[in-house]
Amino acid sequence: MGETRVAAVSANGTSAKNGLSAEDIERLRASLAEGKPTPVWFTPDAVGVTSGQSAKVVAFDEPAEGDYIQVRATGSRDVLSFSPAELTVVKPPPKPKAAPRSVPAQAAPPEPPEEPNVVVGIEPGKPERPAPRAQPRGRKQPVEITVTLHSTPEGEWTVDVLAGKKRTVRWTPVPAGDVAKAARSLPPAVGEAIGSALDAARERQERRVEQLKAELEAAQRALRELG
């Protein structure tokens, strides 16, 4: 027989499985702006977390596409991004507690039978049974990891990481020196492309330094003439 899932329904008709509606998202944005974040719960569609676990909304990414709602699960310090279908404002019903089992009355122990006459001798040893093998635990299925490096004309670098369809790192700044170190371990074609971007950014910064030096010297001359 198949399992039947009963979904809780909120006042506006949105079930816990169907995720957040547009009205729910607007209310969450308003509560976050007032400094009073509303709790949310993970739906069965959420990947990598426990369905029904609570969380707090900490930010909204722009534009609102894909996994743009950033939340922190209860009991965790990590901030992850989820889509509206993976969250709900409807608190799931508590799991029913198992009824206590009744303990049958203990019957009086039977009287021991009369011991027969025993002939003293040597009994053959019973063969030992092999210990049962431990069952291997379920392993997590490997997922595809996509790492993207992005460079601006000013020489600023950011990194973005996708684990399967879940974005775990969203355009986090990375020092140019760390990018240069990583480029040495990558294939020559990749390292050459990253090196060209770093050289171009270095030349722009050198020209900027020369320009600032010239402006500083001009300002100092003007100051001496005024004094």
mmCIF file of all heavy atoms in Angstrom, residues 66-109:
data_model
loop_
_atom_site.group_PDB
_atom_site.id
_atom_site.type_symbol
_atom_site.label_atom_id
_atom_site.label_comp_id
_atom_site.label_asym_id
_atom_site.label_seq_id
_atom_site.Cartn_x
_atom_site.Cartn_y
_atom_site.Cartn_z
ATOM 1 N N GLY A 66 15.485 31.709 -8.971
ATOM 2 C CA GLY A 66 16.087 30.494 -8.418
ATOM 3 C C GLY A 66 16.116 30.513 -6.901
ATOM 4 O O GLY A 66 15.153 30.876 -6.225
ATOM 5 N N ASP A 67 17.259 30.117 -6.335
ATOM 6 C CA ASP A 67 17.435 30.049 -4.874
ATOM 7 C C ASP A 67 17.867 31.426 -4.370
ATOM 8 O O ASP A 67 19.058 31.700 -4.226
ATOM 9 C CB ASP A 67 18.480 28.999 -4.515
ATOM 10 C CG ASP A 67 18.114 27.614 -5.023
ATOM 11 O OD1 ASP A 67 16.919 27.415 -5.283
ATOM 12 O OD2 ASP A 67 19.000 26.769 -5.162
ATOM 13 N N TYR A 68 16.898 32.299 -4.079
ATOM 14 C CA TYR A 68 17.254 33.669 -3.696
ATOM 15 C C TYR A 68 16.854 34.012 -2.270
ATOM 16 O O TYR A 68 17.090 35.130 -1.820
ATOM 17 C CB TYR A 68 16.597 34.667 -4.655
ATOM 18 C CG TYR A 68 15.084 34.731 -4.584
ATOM 19 C CD1 TYR A 68 14.447 35.669 -3.763
ATOM 20 C CD2 TYR A 68 14.300 33.870 -5.314
ATOM 21 C CE1 TYR A 68 13.075 35.742 -3.687
ATOM 22 C CE2 TYR A 68 12.920 33.929 -5.254
ATOM 23 C CZ TYR A 68 12.314 34.865 -4.448
ATOM 24 O OH TYR A 68 10.958 34.924 -4.377
ATOM 25 N N ILE A 69 16.277 33.087 -1.532
ATOM 26 C CA ILE A 69 15.892 33.347 -0.147
ATOM 27 C C ILE A 69 16.953 32.712 0.754
ATOM 28 O O ILE A 69 17.119 31.506 0.780
ATOM 29 C CB ILE A 69 14.502 32.773 0.160
ATOM 30 C CG1 ILE A 69 13.463 33.312 -0.835
ATOM 31 C CG2 ILE A 69 14.089 33.119 1.586
ATOM 32 C CD1 ILE A 69 12.093 32.710 -0.664
ATOM 33 N N GLN A 70 17.695 33.534 1.487
ATOM 34 C CA GLN A 70 18.769 33.045 2.349
ATOM 35 C C GLN A 70 18.216 32.823 3.758
ATOM 36 O O GLN A 70 17.619 33.732 4.344
ATOM 37 C CB GLN A 70 19.929 34.040 2.393
ATOM 38 C CG GLN A 70 20.583 34.253 1.036
ATOM 39 C CD GLN A 70 21.798 35.147 1.143
ATOM 40 O OE1 GLN A 70 22.273 35.445 2.231
ATOM 41 N NE2 GLN A 70 22.307 35.586 0.008
ATOM 42 N N VAL A 71 18.421 31.613 4.289
ATOM 43 C CA VAL A 71 17.899 31.263 5.609
ATOM 44 C C VAL A 71 19.001 30.589 6.421
ATOM 45 O O VAL A 71 19.981 30.076 5.883
ATOM 46 C CB VAL A 71 16.676 30.320 5.506
ATOM 47 C CG1 VAL A 71 15.581 30.940 4.664
ATOM 48 C CG2 VAL A 71 17.078 28.978 4.924
ATOM 49 N N ARG A 72 18.805 30.605 7.754
ATOM 50 C CA ARG A 72 19.698 29.895 8.673
ATOM 51 C C ARG A 72 18.845 28.895 9.450
ATOM 52 O O ARG A 72 17.914 29.289 10.160
ATOM 53 C CB ARG A 72 20.397 30.864 9.625
ATOM 54 C CG ARG A 72 21.337 30.143 10.610
ATOM 55 C CD ARG A 72 21.940 31.092 11.631
ATOM 56 N NE ARG A 72 22.876 32.018 11.029
ATOM 57 C CZ ARG A 72 22.661 33.325 10.890
ATOM 58 N NH1 ARG A 72 21.534 33.869 11.322
ATOM 59 N NH2 ARG A 72 23.559 34.119 10.337
ATOM 60 N N ALA A 73 19.132 27.607 9.275
ATOM 61 C CA ALA A 73 18.356 26.562 9.943
ATOM 62 C C ALA A 73 18.566 26.625 11.454
ATOM 63 O O ALA A 73 19.626 27.034 11.928
ATOM 64 C CB ALA A 73 18.742 25.189 9.409
ATOM 65 N N THR A 74 17.538 26.237 12.203
ATOM 66 C CA THR A 74 17.626 26.233 13.659
ATOM 67 C C THR A 74 18.728 25.279 14.118
ATOM 68 O O THR A 74 18.801 24.146 13.674
ATOM 69 C CB THR A 74 16.279 25.797 14.264
ATOM 70 O OG1 THR A 74 15.258 26.697 13.818
ATOM 71 C CG2 THR A 74 16.330 25.811 15.776
ATOM 72 N N GLY A 75 19.615 25.783 15.000
ATOM 73 C CA GLY A 75 20.726 24.980 15.485
ATOM 74 C C GLY A 75 21.936 24.970 14.588
ATOM 75 O O GLY A 75 22.879 24.236 14.846
ATOM 76 N N SER A 76 21.932 25.777 13.503
ATOM 77 C CA SER A 76 23.073 25.827 12.578
ATOM 78 C C SER A 76 23.511 27.272 12.391
ATOM 79 O O SER A 76 22.708 28.205 12.515
ATOM 80 C CB SER A 76 22.681 25.214 11.230
ATOM 81 O OG SER A 76 23.716 25.390 10.285
ATOM 82 N N ARG A 77 24.807 27.459 12.080
ATOM 83 C CA ARG A 77 25.341 28.788 11.798
ATOM 84 C C ARG A 77 25.468 29.057 10.299
ATOM 85 O O ARG A 77 25.795 30.168 9.904
ATOM 86 C CB ARG A 77 26.722 28.959 12.451
ATOM 87 C CG ARG A 77 26.691 28.872 13.975
ATOM 88 C CD ARG A 77 28.077 29.071 14.552
ATOM 89 N NE ARG A 77 28.077 29.013 16.008
ATOM 90 C CZ ARG A 77 29.163 29.145 16.755
ATOM 91 N NH1 ARG A 77 30.349 29.370 16.182
ATOM 92 N NH2 ARG A 77 29.090 29.069 18.077
ATOM 93 N N ASP A 78 25.249 28.038 9.481
ATOM 94 C CA ASP A 78 25.409 28.186 8.038
ATOM 95 C C ASP A 78 24.196 28.888 7.438
ATOM 96 O O ASP A 78 23.045 28.636 7.827
ATOM 97 C CB ASP A 78 25.583 26.815 7.376
ATOM 98 C CG ASP A 78 26.839 26.114 7.851
ATOM 99 O OD1 ASP A 78 27.789 26.840 8.225
ATOM 100 O OD2 ASP A 78 26.869 24.880 7.853
ATOM 101 N N VAL A 79 24.461 29.774 6.479
ATOM 102 C CA VAL A 79 23.409 30.468 5.735
ATOM 103 C C VAL A 79 23.375 29.880 4.329
ATOM 104 O O VAL A 79 24.378 29.915 3.612
ATOM 105 C CB VAL A 79 23.663 31.988 5.679
ATOM 106 C CG1 VAL A 79 22.610 32.668 4.811
ATOM 107 C CG2 VAL A 79 23.640 32.578 7.078
ATOM 108 N N LEU A 80 22.230 29.314 3.941
ATOM 109 C CA LEU A 80 22.066 28.695 2.631
ATOM 110 C C LEU A 80 20.900 29.343 1.896
ATOM 111 O O LEU A 80 20.020 29.949 2.501
ATOM 112 C CB LEU A 80 21.827 27.182 2.775
ATOM 113 C CG LEU A 80 22.943 26.388 3.472
ATOM 114 C CD1 LEU A 80 22.536 24.931 3.614
ATOM 115 C CD2 LEU A 80 24.240 26.492 2.687
ATOM 116 N N SER A 81 20.910 29.198 0.566
ATOM 117 C CA SER A 81 19.878 29.806 -0.271
ATOM 118 C C SER A 81 18.888 28.735 -0.714
ATOM 119 O O SER A 81 19.270 27.616 -1.067
ATOM 120 C CB SER A 81 20.513 30.470 -1.491
ATOM 121 O OG SER A 81 21.392 31.496 -1.097
ATOM 122 N N PHE A 82 17.595 29.108 -0.735
ATOM 123 C CA PHE A 82 16.539 28.193 -1.131
ATOM 124 C C PHE A 82 15.539 28.920 -2.020
ATOM 125 O O PHE A 82 15.456 30.154 -2.023
ATOM 126 C CB PHE A 82 15.812 27.614 0.102
ATOM 127 C CG PHE A 82 16.669 26.707 0.936
ATOM 128 C CD1 PHE A 82 17.476 27.210 1.944
ATOM 129 C CD2 PHE A 82 16.685 25.346 0.694
ATOM 130 C CE1 PHE A 82 18.267 26.381 2.701
ATOM 131 C CE2 PHE A 82 17.487 24.505 1.459
ATOM 132 C CZ PHE A 82 18.265 25.025 2.455
ATOM 133 N N SER A 83 14.767 28.139 -2.767
ATOM 134 C CA SER A 83 13.711 28.684 -3.599
ATOM 135 C C SER A 83 12.410 28.727 -2.810
ATOM 136 O O SER A 83 12.281 28.077 -1.765
ATOM 137 C CB SER A 83 13.534 27.816 -4.848
ATOM 138 O OG SER A 83 13.070 26.533 -4.474
ATOM 139 N N PRO A 84 11.391 29.481 -3.279
ATOM 140 C CA PRO A 84 10.109 29.519 -2.565
ATOM 141 C C PRO A 84 9.462 28.150 -2.407
ATOM 142 O O PRO A 84 8.776 27.902 -1.425
ATOM 143 C CB PRO A 84 9.255 30.452 -3.434
ATOM 144 C CG PRO A 84 10.243 31.334 -4.125
ATOM 145 C CD PRO A 84 11.433 30.462 -4.387
ATOM 146 N N ALA A 85 9.687 27.230 -3.378
ATOM 147 C CA ALA A 85 9.061 25.912 -3.281
ATOM 148 C C ALA A 85 9.634 25.079 -2.151
ATOM 149 O O ALA A 85 9.021 24.112 -1.706
ATOM 150 C CB ALA A 85 9.218 25.160 -4.606
ATOM 151 N N GLU A 86 10.823 25.443 -1.636
ATOM 152 C CA GLU A 86 11.475 24.659 -0.594
ATOM 153 C C GLU A 86 11.157 25.167 0.805
ATOM 154 O O GLU A 86 11.630 24.589 1.782
ATOM 155 C CB GLU A 86 12.986 24.662 -0.808
ATOM 156 C CG GLU A 86 13.421 24.015 -2.109
ATOM 157 C CD GLU A 86 14.907 24.167 -2.373
ATOM 158 O OE1 GLU A 86 15.358 25.293 -2.634
ATOM 159 O OE2 GLU A 86 15.608 23.146 -2.311
ATOM 160 N N LEU A 87 10.385 26.267 0.928
ATOM 161 C CA LEU A 87 10.080 26.862 2.233
ATOM 162 C C LEU A 87 8.579 27.054 2.380
ATOM 163 O O LEU A 87 7.840 27.129 1.396
ATOM 164 C CB LEU A 87 10.784 28.219 2.377
ATOM 165 C CG LEU A 87 12.310 28.219 2.234
ATOM 166 C CD1 LEU A 87 12.835 29.642 2.205
ATOM 167 C CD2 LEU A 87 12.963 27.427 3.355
ATOM 168 N N THR A 88 8.110 27.159 3.618
ATOM 169 C CA THR A 88 6.708 27.417 3.894
ATOM 170 C C THR A 88 6.596 28.151 5.226
ATOM 171 O O THR A 88 7.481 28.021 6.086
ATOM 172 C CB THR A 88 5.895 26.103 3.957
ATOM 173 O OG1 THR A 88 4.525 26.403 4.256
ATOM 174 C CG2 THR A 88 6.417 25.173 5.022
ATOM 175 N N VAL A 89 5.523 28.941 5.380
ATOM 176 C CA VAL A 89 5.263 29.617 6.651
ATOM 177 C C VAL A 89 4.281 28.814 7.504
ATOM 178 O O VAL A 89 3.901 29.257 8.579
ATOM 179 C CB VAL A 89 4.705 31.032 6.397
ATOM 180 C CG1 VAL A 89 5.738 31.915 5.742
ATOM 181 C CG2 VAL A 89 3.435 30.994 5.547
ATOM 182 N N VAL A 90 3.868 27.642 7.009
ATOM 183 C CA VAL A 90 2.918 26.792 7.734
ATOM 184 C C VAL A 90 3.707 25.819 8.600
ATOM 185 O O VAL A 90 4.496 25.021 8.099
ATOM 186 C CB VAL A 90 2.014 26.023 6.752
ATOM 187 C CG1 VAL A 90 1.038 25.142 7.528
ATOM 188 C CG2 VAL A 90 1.271 26.991 5.864
ATOM 189 N N LYS A 91 3.515 25.913 9.918
ATOM 190 C CA LYS A 91 4.219 25.022 10.834
ATOM 191 C C LYS A 91 3.666 23.607 10.695
ATOM 192 O O LYS A 91 2.463 23.397 10.777
ATOM 193 C CB LYS A 91 4.059 25.505 12.274
ATOM 194 C CG LYS A 91 4.842 24.680 13.285
ATOM 195 C CD LYS A 91 4.696 25.253 14.689
ATOM 196 C CE LYS A 91 5.501 24.451 15.698
ATOM 197 N NZ LYS A 91 5.380 24.995 17.067
ATOM 198 N N PRO A 92 4.528 22.612 10.442
ATOM 199 C CA PRO A 92 4.025 21.239 10.285
ATOM 200 C C PRO A 92 3.469 20.704 11.591
ATOM 201 O O PRO A 92 3.893 21.109 12.670
ATOM 202 C CB PRO A 92 5.276 20.463 9.846
ATOM 203 C CG PRO A 92 6.429 21.267 10.364
ATOM 204 C CD PRO A 92 5.986 22.703 10.306
ATOM 205 N N PRO A 93 2.484 19.804 11.516
ATOM 206 C CA PRO A 93 1.910 19.229 12.749
ATOM 207 C C PRO A 93 2.946 18.380 13.468
ATOM 208 O O PRO A 93 3.836 17.800 12.842
ATOM 209 C CB PRO A 93 0.752 18.376 12.230
ATOM 210 C CG PRO A 93 1.126 18.050 10.819
ATOM 211 C CD PRO A 93 1.881 19.236 10.300
ATOM 212 N N PRO A 94 2.874 18.320 14.807
ATOM 213 C CA PRO A 94 3.837 17.481 15.560
ATOM 214 C C PRO A 94 3.647 16.011 15.241
ATOM 215 O O PRO A 94 2.548 15.553 14.938
ATOM 216 C CB PRO A 94 3.498 17.801 17.027
ATOM 217 C CG PRO A 94 2.067 18.262 16.997
ATOM 218 C CD PRO A 94 1.892 18.980 15.682
ATOM 219 N N LYS A 95 4.758 15.284 15.281
ATOM 220 C CA LYS A 95 4.687 13.856 15.013
ATOM 221 C C LYS A 95 3.977 13.146 16.178
ATOM 222 O O LYS A 95 4.244 13.440 17.337
ATOM 223 C CB LYS A 95 6.098 13.287 14.835
ATOM 224 C CG LYS A 95 6.815 13.844 13.627
ATOM 225 C CD LYS A 95 8.192 13.208 13.480
ATOM 226 C CE LYS A 95 8.901 13.759 12.254
ATOM 227 N NZ LYS A 95 10.245 13.153 12.092
ATOM 228 N N PRO A 96 3.049 12.221 15.872
ATOM 229 C CA PRO A 96 2.335 11.512 16.957
ATOM 230 C C PRO A 96 3.294 10.644 17.754
ATOM 231 O O PRO A 96 4.206 10.025 17.219
ATOM 232 C CB PRO A 96 1.304 10.666 16.200
ATOM 233 C CG PRO A 96 1.884 10.496 14.832
ATOM 234 C CD PRO A 96 2.644 11.758 14.535
ATOM 235 N N LYS A 97 3.087 10.661 19.076
ATOM 236 C CA LYS A 97 3.914 9.849 19.958
ATOM 237 C C LYS A 97 3.397 8.409 19.982
ATOM 238 O O LYS A 97 2.194 8.169 19.951
ATOM 239 C CB LYS A 97 3.903 10.420 21.384
ATOM 240 C CG LYS A 97 4.529 11.801 21.490
ATOM 241 C CD LYS A 97 4.532 12.266 22.928
ATOM 242 C CE LYS A 97 5.189 13.650 23.049
ATOM 243 N NZ LYS A 97 5.176 14.140 24.453
ATOM 244 N N ALA A 98 4.310 7.484 20.041
ATOM 245 C CA ALA A 98 3.933 6.069 20.081
ATOM 246 C C ALA A 98 3.297 5.731 21.432
ATOM 247 O O ALA A 98 3.758 6.181 22.483
ATOM 248 C CB ALA A 98 5.158 5.191 19.835
ATOM 249 N N ALA A 99 2.197 4.971 21.371
ATOM 250 C CA ALA A 99 1.502 4.593 22.611
ATOM 251 C C ALA A 99 2.374 3.628 23.414
ATOM 252 O O ALA A 99 3.037 2.753 22.845
ATOM 253 C CB ALA A 99 0.165 3.935 22.279
ATOM 254 N N PRO A 100 2.434 3.818 24.731
ATOM 255 C CA PRO A 100 3.265 2.904 25.555
ATOM 256 C C PRO A 100 2.722 1.484 25.509
ATOM 257 O O PRO A 100 1.515 1.257 25.518
ATOM 258 C CB PRO A 100 3.156 3.512 26.959
ATOM 259 C CG PRO A 100 1.878 4.303 26.945
ATOM 260 C CD PRO A 100 1.719 4.820 25.541
ATOM 261 N N ARG A 101 3.635 0.558 25.412
ATOM 262 C CA ARG A 101 3.232 -0.844 25.366
ATOM 263 C C ARG A 101 2.924 -1.341 26.778
ATOM 264 O O ARG A 101 3.611 -0.996 27.727
ATOM 265 C CB ARG A 101 4.349 -1.699 24.755
ATOM 266 C CG ARG A 101 4.656 -1.346 23.311
ATOM 267 C CD ARG A 101 5.750 -2.268 22.778
ATOM 268 N NE ARG A 101 6.027 -1.965 21.382
ATOM 269 C CZ ARG A 101 6.954 -2.622 20.671
ATOM 270 N NH1 ARG A 101 7.666 -3.602 21.251
ATOM 271 N NH2 ARG A 101 7.150 -2.298 19.414
ATOM 272 N N SER A 102 1.873 -2.136 26.858
ATOM 273 C CA SER A 102 1.515 -2.713 28.151
ATOM 274 C C SER A 102 2.437 -3.891 28.450
ATOM 275 O O SER A 102 2.729 -4.704 27.570
ATOM 276 C CB SER A 102 0.059 -3.186 28.135
ATOM 277 O OG SER A 102 -0.128 -4.134 27.106
ATOM 278 N N VAL A 103 2.916 -3.942 29.671
ATOM 279 C CA VAL A 103 3.825 -5.012 30.078
ATOM 280 C C VAL A 103 2.998 -6.159 30.653
ATOM 281 O O VAL A 103 2.248 -5.970 31.621
ATOM 282 C CB VAL A 103 4.833 -4.499 31.130
ATOM 283 C CG1 VAL A 103 5.780 -5.624 31.547
ATOM 284 C CG2 VAL A 103 5.583 -3.303 30.580
ATOM 285 N N PRO A 104 3.048 -7.333 30.036
ATOM 286 C CA PRO A 104 2.242 -8.461 30.566
ATOM 287 C C PRO A 104 2.742 -8.878 31.941
ATOM 288 O O PRO A 104 3.913 -8.728 32.279
ATOM 289 C CB PRO A 104 2.470 -9.564 29.519
ATOM 290 C CG PRO A 104 3.791 -9.223 28.888
ATOM 291 C CD PRO A 104 3.855 -7.727 28.885
ATOM 292 N N ALA A 105 1.790 -9.352 32.728
ATOM 293 C CA ALA A 105 2.143 -9.818 34.069
ATOM 294 C C ALA A 105 3.096 -10.994 33.964
ATOM 295 O O ALA A 105 2.914 -11.890 33.136
ATOM 296 C CB ALA A 105 0.882 -10.228 34.825
ATOM 297 N N GLN A 106 4.123 -10.954 34.771
ATOM 298 C CA GLN A 106 5.148 -11.993 34.729
ATOM 299 C C GLN A 106 4.634 -13.258 35.421
ATOM 300 O O GLN A 106 4.193 -13.215 36.570
ATOM 301 C CB GLN A 106 6.421 -11.501 35.412
ATOM 302 C CG GLN A 106 7.587 -12.470 35.261
ATOM 303 C CD GLN A 106 8.866 -11.889 35.821
ATOM 304 O OE1 GLN A 106 8.839 -10.785 36.358
ATOM 305 N NE2 GLN A 106 9.951 -12.618 35.706
ATOM 306 N N ALA A 107 4.656 -14.334 34.657
ATOM 307 C CA ALA A 107 4.170 -15.598 35.212
ATOM 308 C C ALA A 107 5.193 -16.171 36.173
ATOM 309 O O ALA A 107 6.387 -15.890 36.084
ATOM 310 C CB ALA A 107 3.898 -16.596 34.084
ATOM 311 N N ALA A 108 4.691 -16.946 37.107
ATOM 312 C CA ALA A 108 5.590 -17.578 38.084
ATOM 313 C C ALA A 108 6.501 -18.542 37.362
ATOM 314 O O ALA A 108 6.080 -19.262 36.454
ATOM 315 C CB ALA A 108 4.777 -18.314 39.139
ATOM 316 N N PRO A 109 7.777 -18.567 37.710
ATOM 317 C CA PRO A 109 8.708 -19.484 37.028
ATOM 318 C C PRO A 109 8.315 -20.926 37.281
ATOM 319 O O PRO A 109 7.880 -21.291 38.378
ATOM 320 C CB PRO A 109 10.064 -19.141 37.664
ATOM 321 C CG PRO A 109 9.722 -18.545 38.991
ATOM 322 C CD PRO A 109 8.428 -17.817 38.793
#
